[in-house]
């Protein structure tokens, strides 16, 4: 089933869990009240266009066709135009616009293409939608893994494509919630008897673009922590507990800032 279909029914996901834990009101405005965002951050749209480009690269690779760098630039230009052109709701960061991000994306993809190591992994899934349930949780966890591969020894390598403004620390990689969810999803969907390695392929938007790959693994303790957190989040959502967190890194550029301010000025839910 496609991810869009899985999302039609009540569910949790890595991003909804992340939203709830980062700021309960952000979760409520977007996923309970379903309010339209006041703007869309350029980074979100840019990341989508890069993501679609990498997806196309691997779909071609699966058929035995390796796209050239020129192809990659052409594919990105197409996705960038389709995703961003003419959308007034996109809020560009200072000094950025449609054209500068087109150039930046092209540069970043050049670095990615030149630095991507050649490997003999076999592709077994691209944009693989998943759904799984946990005991005691009435709704499923859904999502999609960007890339699933297998090495010669049968180890599963799950990759998530990321576009970031900075490098990640080892600690951030090792504690990343999304990756723990992917490991649980893989185990629940036919890979429970395999070794699983998790990887971020990260295109970094520094002045001089960088490409970094980070490998990580998850233990039983990581899985147990995740399961407990998911139950706690669901308990909070079910009880209508949505705590605003204006200390969050999301606060400064929150797309619900005006509605959030109005909620406070009007006395909240009192
Ligand atoms: S403005 Fe701040 S407190 Fe309000 S929803 Fe957004 S992140 Fe949360």
């Amino acid at each position: 089933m496609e991810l869009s279909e899985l999302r039609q029914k009540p569910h949790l996901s890595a991003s909804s869990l992340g939203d709830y834990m980062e700021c309960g009101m952000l979760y409520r405005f977007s996923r309970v009240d379903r309010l339209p965002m006041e703007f869309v951050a350029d980074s979100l749209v840019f990341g989508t266009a890069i993501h679609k480009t990498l997806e196309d690269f691997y779909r071609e690779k699966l058929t035995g066709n390796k796209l050239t760098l020129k192809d990659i630039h052409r594919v990105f230009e197409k996705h960038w135009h389709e995703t961003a052109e003419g959308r007034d709701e996109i809020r560009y960061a200072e000094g950025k616009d449609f054209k500068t991000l087109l150039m930046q994306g092209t540069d970043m993809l050049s670095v990615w293409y030149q630095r991507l190591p050649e490997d003999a992994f076999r592709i077994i899934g691209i944009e693989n939608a998943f759904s799984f349930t946990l005991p005691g949780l009435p709704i499923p966890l859904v999502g999609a893994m960007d890339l699933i591969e297998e090495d010669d020894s049968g180890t599963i390598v799950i990759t998530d494509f990321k576009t970031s403004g900075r490098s990640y620390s080892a600690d951030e990689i090792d504690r990343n919630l999304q990756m723990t969810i992917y490991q649980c999803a893989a185990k629940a969907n036919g890979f429970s008897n395999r070794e699983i390695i998790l990887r971020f392929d990260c295109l970094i938007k520094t002045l001089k673009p960088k490409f970094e790959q980070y490998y990580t693994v998850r233990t039983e303790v990581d899985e147990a922590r995740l399961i407990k957190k998911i139950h706690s989040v669901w308990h909070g959502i079910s009880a209508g507990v949505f705590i605003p967190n204006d200390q969050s890194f999301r606060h400064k550029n929150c797309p619900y800032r005006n509605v959030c301010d109005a909620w406070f000025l009007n006395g909240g839910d009192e």
Side-chain angles (χ1 to χ4, degrees):
M1 204 182 275
E2 295 287 317
L3 182 57
S4 53
E5 291 172 67
L6 293 172
R7 282 181 174 151
Q8 299 298 316
K9 293 190 178 154
H11 64 273
L12 289 173
S13 64
S15 65
S16 69
L17 289 164
D19 280 357
Y20 185 85
M21 289 190 282
E22 195 56 48
C23 174
M25 283 312 287
L26 177 63
Y27 177 93
R28 176 179 143 175
F29 290 141
S30 63
R31 297 171 193 270
V32 179
D33 301 340
R34 293 175 183 272
L35 300 179
M37 291 192 287
E38 290 155 15
F39 63 88
V40 179
D42 59 352
S43 56
L44 203 68
V45 187
F46 183 73
T48 301
I50 294 276
H51 189 288
K52 286 182 175 174
T53 306
L54 301 193
E55 191 184 321
D56 284 359
F57 171 80
Y58 282 101
R59 287 200 191 283
E60 288 296 324
K61 188 178 173 189
L62 188 59
T63 65
N65 179 28
K66 185 175 177 189
L67 294 182
T68 64
L69 182 55
K70 209 171 159 188
D71 293 331
I72 291 291
H73 289 164
R74 183 182 42 76
V75 169
F76 173 67
E77 191 170 344
K78 174 178 86 83
H79 285 310
W80 181 238
H81 276 269
E82 285 172 2
T83 318
E85 196 165 32
R87 287 182 63 189
D88 295 338
E89 73 273 28
I90 297 174
R91 181 184 285 180
Y92 287 97
E94 205 180 329
K96 302 286 181 198
D97 59 24
F98 181 85
K99 275 190 181 162
T100 55
L101 283 183
L102 175 61
M103 284 188 290
Q104 190 172 19
T106 304
D107 290 346
M108 287 165 67
L109 285 160
S110 297
V111 173
W112 163 79
Y113 192 85
Q114 284 148 8
R115 302 261 162 89
L116 186 69
E118 287 288 341
D119 60 48
F121 296 166
R122 190 173 71 84
I123 298 171
I124 52 178
I126 298 166
E127 205 53 31
N128 237 61
F130 64 80
S131 174
F132 69 103
T133 51
L134 294 172
L137 193 74
I139 60 172
L141 263 106
V142 309
M145 295 179 224
D146 294 343
L147 178 66
I148 309 176
E149 296 169 298
E150 178 181 40
D151 73 8
D152 284 346
S153 69
T155 297
I156 298 297
V157 183
I158 300 171
T159 300
D160 190 61
F161 306 141
K162 283 260 180 275
T163 309
S164 167
R166 60 176 179 81
S167 300
Y168 289 114
S169 69
D171 195 43
E172 282 173 296
I173 298 298
D174 290 341
R175 285 187 296 110
N176 183 277
L177 178 103
Q178 185 182 14
M179 282 307 198
T180 318
I181 291 175
Y182 286 179
Q183 170 154 311
C184 292
K187 285 186 171 179
N189 287 280
F191 296 120
S192 59
N193 59 347
R194 303 282 198 99
E195 288 292 317
I196 296 173
I197 294 178
L198 306 154
R199 187 177 92 196
F200 281 111
D201 277 9
C202 196
L203 284 76
I204 302 167
K205 299 185 264 190
T206 33
L207 207 54
K208 194 171 170 214
K210 292 190 284 187
F211 171 61
E212 291 177 356
Q213 283 187 316
Y214 308 100
Y215 282 88
T216 184
V217 290
R218 291 295 182 268
T219 64
E220 247 181 82
V221 177
D222 296 321
E223 290 182 20
R225 276 180 177 275
L226 172 76
I227 291 166
K228 185 69 190 154
K229 276 194 277 189
I230 292 171
H231 278 283
S232 300
V233 166
W234 179 245
H235 187 67
I237 292 169
S238 309
V241 177
F242 302 109
I243 302 171
N245 179 16
D246 47 23
Q247 306 298 302
S248 163
F249 79 97
R250 305 281 295 273
H251 183 71
K252 192 174 169 211
N253 288 312
C254 178
Y256 296 103
R257 188 65 174 272
N258 292 334
V259 78
C260 188
D261 286 348
W263 181 83
F264 275 105
L265 284 170
N266 293 325
D269 292 328
E270 299 302 317

